[in-house]
Amino acid sequence: MNKRIILGVSGSIAAYKSPDIVRRLQDLGAEVRVILTGGGREFVSERSLQTVSKNKVHDNLWDSEAELSMGHIELAKWADVVIIAPASANTIAKLCHGKADDLLSTVILATSASVMVAPSMNQQMYASLAMKDNLELLQKRGVRIIDPGFGEQACGDVGEGRLAEPSEIARQASELFQNNALGGKRVLITIGGTVEAIDPVRFLSNHSSGKMGMALAYASIQAGAETTLVIGSISVDVEKRAKTIFVTSANEMHEAVMANIHDQDLFISCAAVADYRPTKVSPNKIKKDSDKQTIELVANKDILSDVCQLKDKPICIGFAAETENYINNANQKLKNKQCDAIILNDVSNSAIGFKSDDNEVYFIARDGTDKINKNSKQIVAEKIIKKITKEFF
Ligand code: CTP
C-alpha cells in the first residue's frame, strides 16, 4: 500500500500540534498533504505546515489555480488515508451531515480512502449527547475515531477532550499500513545500552538511545511478527504492541535473551552491550580519598555469539557500531560471531547513529553488501526488515 496521507486540520487550539503530527506521519514513510480549514488557520500558520509537509497547503475549495493542479477530486483520489486531527466539534457535525461547504468536508465526501478522526474540544462539548451521537454515526459509517485524552485543557477545564498525542495518532494511522511479510514469525530484539554498576551511585554505560532498536520493533510488528523486546537503558517510548522485558546489565540481558530465544525465528541484536563490567561492585559509594582510582574490568558474555552457537539458532542479525575501517571490521564481526548478517553504522558521524533521528547503514551478509541510504531511523528499519525477509524467509 502507498502511504499518501491527507491531514485535515480544523479549528481547535490543538491545531498548533499539527506540524508535529505531519512529522510523525512522515516518520512512517508517508507523503503528507495538509488541508487547513478556516478555523484551523486561526491556530496554526500555513507556512509552518507547508515547510514541514514540503507541499503546498490546500485550503480553498474555490481556488481556480488549485483546481488546475490538484483540485478537490484529485486530492480525494490521491489519498490512501485522510486523518482529521484536530477534528473540531463543528467539523465532526459537518461530516455527519455530509456537508460540502469547504475543501476538507468536500474531500471527505469525494474520497474512497480510509478516514480517521481525532476529536479535540472542551470536555463539556465532548461529553454532550450531540457529540456522542455524531461520533457513533461516523463509526457506523466506517470512520475510525482516535479517542481524545484526559487531562488539563487549554481553557483550564480538566476532563476528556484533548487531542490524542501526535505519536499515538501516527501509531493508529500506521496500523492501516500493516503487511504480513513476517506473519506467523517470532522476532526477538535487544534494544538500548546496558548499565554496569561501579558502586550504588556510579555506572559504566554508553550513548545508545534505543531509537534504532525501537524503530526495528515497530517495523517487525508492522510486518506481522510476534515481537519480544529485551530493553536496556533507553530514551524513547516503548512500542506498546510488543512483549517487553526490561534489564539493566549485560548479564541480565544475556539471561533474558537465553530464556526467551528458543522458539524465535529471528534475533536482532541491536543493543549496545557493554563489553566489560567492573570486576567488583562496591557495596558502598566509593570515596574520593586518593588522586588515582583504578577500576578493574572483566569481559561480559557476548550475547550475539552465544545465540549464534545454539543448535537450533534463529536467523541472527548483529549490529556493528564502528568509527574506522568500517567494512573490514564489520566483515570480521560477521565471521567471528557467525551471524547471518551485520548491520554496520558509522557512529563517528553525529548526523547518523546513536542519538540522531536518522541513520545510514550497510547490510552485510555473507554473499554481499548493500547500502541503505540515509533516512529516518523508521524508514531505515523498515528497509532492514524488508531485506531480512527477502534474504532469509
Ligand atoms: N553484542 C552482544 N554482546 C556483547 C557485545 C556485543 O550481543 N557482549 C552484540 C551487539 O548487540 C552487536 C554486535 O554484538 O549486535 C556487535 O557489537 P560491537 O560492540 O560493535 O562489537 P564487539 O563485538 O563488542 O567488538 P568491538 O567492541 O571490539 O568493536
Side-chain angles (χ1 to χ4, degrees), residues 261-298:
I261 199 70
H262 294 288
D263 50 1
Q264 302 293 335
D265 300 290
L266 170 64
F267 174 56
I268 305 181
S269 184
C270 190
V273 187
D275 289 329
Y276 296 93
R277 67 179 183 279
T279 310
K280 278 190 216 143
V281 182
S282 167
N284 295 311
K285 189 176 167 205
I286 299 169
K287 288 288 170 200
K288 190 172 48 180
D289 51 12
S290 65
D291 286 347
K292 269 192 179 169
Q293 266 288 355
T294 306
I295 299 172
E296 194 189 68
L297 301 175
V298 57

Side-chain angles (χ1 to χ4, degrees), residues 190 250 253-254 267-276 300-305 317-322 329 333 337 342-343:
T190 61
M253 188 172 272
H254 187 276
F267 174 56
I268 305 181
S269 184
C270 190
V273 187
D275 289 329
Y276 296 93
N300 279 323
K301 287 185 218 163
D302 193 303
I303 306 168
L304 178 58
S305 295
I317 312 290
F319 268 73
E322 303 292 346
N329 282 349
K333 254 168 220 175
K337 304 208 183 200
I342 285 277
I343 293 154

